[in-house]
Amino acid sequence: MSVYYHKFEVRWSDIDANRHLGNSTYVDYCSQTRMAFLNKNKIGLTQLNRWGVGPVMLHERYSFFKEIYADQTVFVGLEVAAMSEDGMIYQFVHKFYLPDGTHCATAEATGVWIDMMLRKTTTPPEDIILVMNEFKSENVQTISREFLKTLPFRPENIDTSLLENFK
C-alpha cells in the first residue's frame, strides 16, 4: 500500500479574491494529480487510448482545514479508498499538505472507467487494476453499483418552459 504525491507551486492564477487557493483550483489539482499518477504508472493517455478506456468522475467533495496561499508549495496525495471487485468503480482520497506536513484539505473523488466508444461503464484492463491495488489505503472498502445509488444527488429534469424567460 502506497500513497502517490504530486507537487504544485501555487501560482497567482490559482488564487481567488480572498487571496487563497480558489475552490476550482482544488478540483484542478486533484485532477492533475490523478493524471500524473496514471502517467507515472504507465497508464497515460496513449495507453488509455490504446485500451479504449477512460476515467470519469461522478462525484467529488471537499473539506478545508487551512488556507493555502500564492507562492507556497503544496503536495497532493492520492490513495484508493474504495474500489469494486472488478475495478470498474473507484474512489480516490486526496490530501493536501504543506511541506512542513500541515494537512490543509481533503478531497474524495468517486469515478468509473468507461469504454470510450460505447460511452458505458466497463471493467478496466488488468494493468490498471494492478496499479490501483498497489495504492489502496489501509482501510479500503469494496463497493458495488449499489454504492453509486448512495451518492447525494440524482438527475432532476425540469419543464423547459421554465427557461423561456432566460433565453
Side-chain angles (χ1 to χ4, degrees):
M1 293 180 208
S2 300
V3 178
Y4 173 81
Y5 292 99
H6 192 71
K7 180 180 175 180
F8 293 91
E9 301 296 332
V10 180
R11 305 167 304 171
W12 171 252
S13 60
D14 297 333
I15 302 304
D16 66 13
N18 293 320
R19 298 183 314 210
H20 61 211
L21 201 64
N23 287 29
S24 62
T25 305
Y26 283 92
V27 175
D28 290 342
Y29 280 15
C30 287
S31 180
Q32 182 60 37
T33 298
R34 289 190 297 271
M35 291 313 295
F37 163 76
L38 293 174
N39 282 328
K40 176 83 173 175
N41 288 283
K42 298 176 179 53
I43 308 172
L45 287 177
T46 301
Q47 192 62 33
L48 291 172
N49 287 336
R50 195 171 302 131
W51 289 323
V53 300
V56 173
M57 300 317 304
L58 302 178
H59 181 73
E60 292 185 67
R61 65 182 180 173
Y62 294 79
S63 292
F64 304 100
F65 314 121
K66 182 166 179 27
E67 293 176 299
I68 299 172
Y69 300 106
D71 300 321
Q72 285 188 299
T73 299
V74 63
F75 294 89
V76 180
L78 176 150
E79 287 182 276
V80 176
M83 193 166 82
S84 60
E85 288 185 11
D86 63 1
M88 179 179 66
I89 307 165
Y90 53 86
Q91 187 175 77
F92 292 121
V93 168
H94 297 286
K95 294 182 181 176
F96 289 69
Y97 295 101
L98 297 179
D100 67 2
T102 301
H103 185 187
C104 299
T106 296
E108 179 185 84
T110 303
V112 295
W113 293 99
I114 66 165
D115 179 305
M116 297 298 286
M117 293 297 287
L118 300 175
R119 310 306 290 180
K120 302 228 182 248
T121 56
T122 189
T123 301
E126 185 65 24
D127 294 27
I128 292 175
I129 293 173
L130 291 172
V131 170
M132 300 283 280
N133 283 334
E134 183 182 336
F135 288 88
K136 284 182 177 177
S137 70
E138 289 180 15
N139 302 317
V140 68
Q141 296 178 344
T142 301
I143 54 177
S144 66
R145 283 187 181 271
E146 291 302 310
F147 174 82
L148 297 178
K149 294 177 183 175
T150 68
L151 296 177
F153 304 110
R154 311 271 13 117
E156 298 175 12
N157 297 336
I158 63 170
D159 180 345
T160 57
S161 66
L162 296 170
L163 305 175
E164 289 301 319
N165 293 333
F166 302 100
K167 289 186 179 181

